[in-house]
Amino acid sequence: MFRLRGLRRPSPNAPGEVKVKPGKAVHGIMRSATDLFEPWSSAFDLPPVQWGEVISYTAAPDWFLSSVNTVMALSKLPPGWDSYGSEPVSGEASTQALRVLSLLSGQRSTTPHIGPVAGGGLQMEWTNDHRALELEVRPDGSVEFLRVYDDDRMEEGQIAPDRVDYLRQQVSWLYSA
Amino acid sequence: MGLEEAKIAAHPLPDFDRPPVIETALSVEFAPLARWTGADFGLFFHEIMADYPIAEVQAPIASAVERFGQERWVKPQIEIQVFTGEPLVRYWFKNEPEGKLLQLQRDRFIHNWQRVGNRPYPRYPQTREMFASAWSRFLAYLQARQLDSPVVSQCEVTYVNQIARGEGWDVPGDAAKVTPLLGTLPGQFLPSPEVLAVDARYVIPPERGRLRVALQPALRTTDQKEILQLQLTARGSPKSSSTEDILGWFDLGHEWVVRGFVEVTSPSMHARWGRVH
């Protein structure tokens, strides 16, 4: 079992600190070929003609629902929730955390451990037997990652706004060991 | 005045000041155009790019045909797509500032309207006109290229309504406050449900099509807001492939969507949306 260490915080004016842009989410239900076939037989398939993008909870994996509920609950923490006068979780952080979860909703994943970070951020941790991944959403909505390998090597960095694929790769990396 | 118009004149459609509709789509499905090629997407785009300046490739939409009686139950089929040099694609031609989208594939033509900012819903006569205008340009293009006119098998009217958390509901179990299709749960043993959804279908008599109603919780990816999405889709066969009959079916489908919407939503939500009549 890994113990994740806190991310090193960059200076407040770190260059290149950017937000993750929303990207295409994966949604929908794969229908069994042995079903009696009726077009669009589940109403819970989103209408294929729909332009606006949503992630249906009826089609979403359990880990996604559970994680969204956790983020929603943490976003209601009062000021001073840690007994040390911390700011509540910022709107930017909770929105960005939901965006990250949306981008990962079609990925193979387990439920991450999600917790608040002093100062108004959120942290999401995934672990398996060999690897661990930590994503920290800072109060301004920027995202940092920390990878921990099974030989205790670590790799950290920021996730650029145009690297949605990189975010998905992080989680894929976790389960590729 | 046609029969449908006369019926609507006698019983005006319900109306709301602030309907929760966020998107509508008017769609026709037709037999795949025989001599349509990949180049035609580009040539047609050239015709409409002043109004729809952005083109984007999407995965194609599968056929969706309302069936009745014996025809309803068909054996499982495996669809094999044989590539004959022309990829099966759908094109989006977008005008995002005006919230207009034209979707085109070899056997589908769809016109969407999507809410932009706080702009009001333009109402059905206008979205109908948007479709009619784009469809007439499409037919003119086919004629100019000496391609066959579409043989239309299905017409479809889709309305997507989104109700954000806090606007009449707070937890998934509150879906019963939005729709009378769900009863109130007793709450003696079970906790509040994590997900609660509605799937209802109604035949438009006499087998002219179906109205499908689906209510489901979702996360809207544009602003990460939790919503209840209520989608109503009316689909069926027009009498013929003429524009008049296509628009006539849309009128019928629209009436079913609007009257259906009123019956599957609660009076308290109607008050919130400013029901006029």
Side-chain angles (χ1 to χ4, degrees), chain A residues 4-68:
Chain A
L4 289 180
R5 298 163 206 177
L7 290 175
R8 189 180 65 235
R9 290 181 180 281
S11 65
N13 298 318
E17 202 171 9
V18 283
K19 292 184 177 180
V20 176
K21 274 184 179 170
K24 285 281 175 194
V26 178
H27 46 63
I29 299 170
M30 186 167 285
R31 194 176 292 122
S32 163
T34 56
D35 287 348
L36 276 176
F37 182 79
E38 272 194 279
W40 193 15
S41 67
S42 167
F44 305 130
D45 287 352
L46 296 166
V49 300
Q50 186 172 344
W51 183 5
E53 198 170 18
V54 299
I55 297 173
S56 165
Y57 287 1
T58 57
D62 290 344
W63 74 261
F64 175 80
L65 283 182
S66 172
S67 302
V68 168

Side-chain angles (χ1 to χ4, degrees), chain A residues 134-154:
Chain A
E134 180 181 303
L135 294 179
E136 183 175 335
V137 184
R138 291 169 48 78
D140 65 357
S142 59
V143 179
E144 299 172 1
F145 72 88
L146 174 70
R147 284 175 166 188
V148 184
Y149 293 80
D150 52 1
D151 59 2
D152 265 356
R153 271 186 306 122
M154 287 189 290

Side-chain angles (χ1 to χ4, degrees), chain A residues 22-25 33-59 62 64-66 68-69 72 76 94-96 98-100 102, chain B residues 23 25 61 63-65 72-74 76 90 92 94 96 99-101 103 108 110 112 114 156 158 160 162 194-195 197-199 201 212 214 216-219 221 224 226-227 229 231 233 235:
Chain A
K24 285 281 175 194
T34 56
D35 287 348
L36 276 176
F37 182 79
E38 272 194 279
W40 193 15
S41 67
S42 167
F44 305 130
D45 287 352
L46 296 166
V49 300
Q50 186 172 344
W51 183 5
E53 198 170 18
V54 299
I55 297 173
S56 165
Y57 287 1
T58 57
D62 290 344
F64 175 80
L65 283 182
S66 172
V68 168
N69 288 336
M72 291 295 182
K76 291 176 186 159
S94 58
T95 300
Q96 190 68 297
L98 291 172
R99 187 168 291 148
V100 168
S102 300
Chain B
E23 183 171 342
I61 295 175
S63 169
V65 177
R72 182 173 179 180
W73 306 106
V74 295
R90 172 174 44 138
W92 274 9
K94 297 194 288 187
E96 285 183 293
K100 294 195 303 184
L101 169 71
Q103 307 187 53
R108 277 263 194 161
I110 305 159
N112 295 53
Q114 188 182 51
E156 191 177 295
T158 300
V160 178
Q162 294 183 348
E194 190 177 28
V195 174
V198 171
D199 173 4
R201 302 178 205 180
R212 292 163 182 262
Q216 57 188 317
L219 187 71
T221 58
Q224 312 305 320
E226 287 195 289
I227 56 164
Q229 175 158 304
Q231 65 215 35
T233 297
R235 187 193 295 126

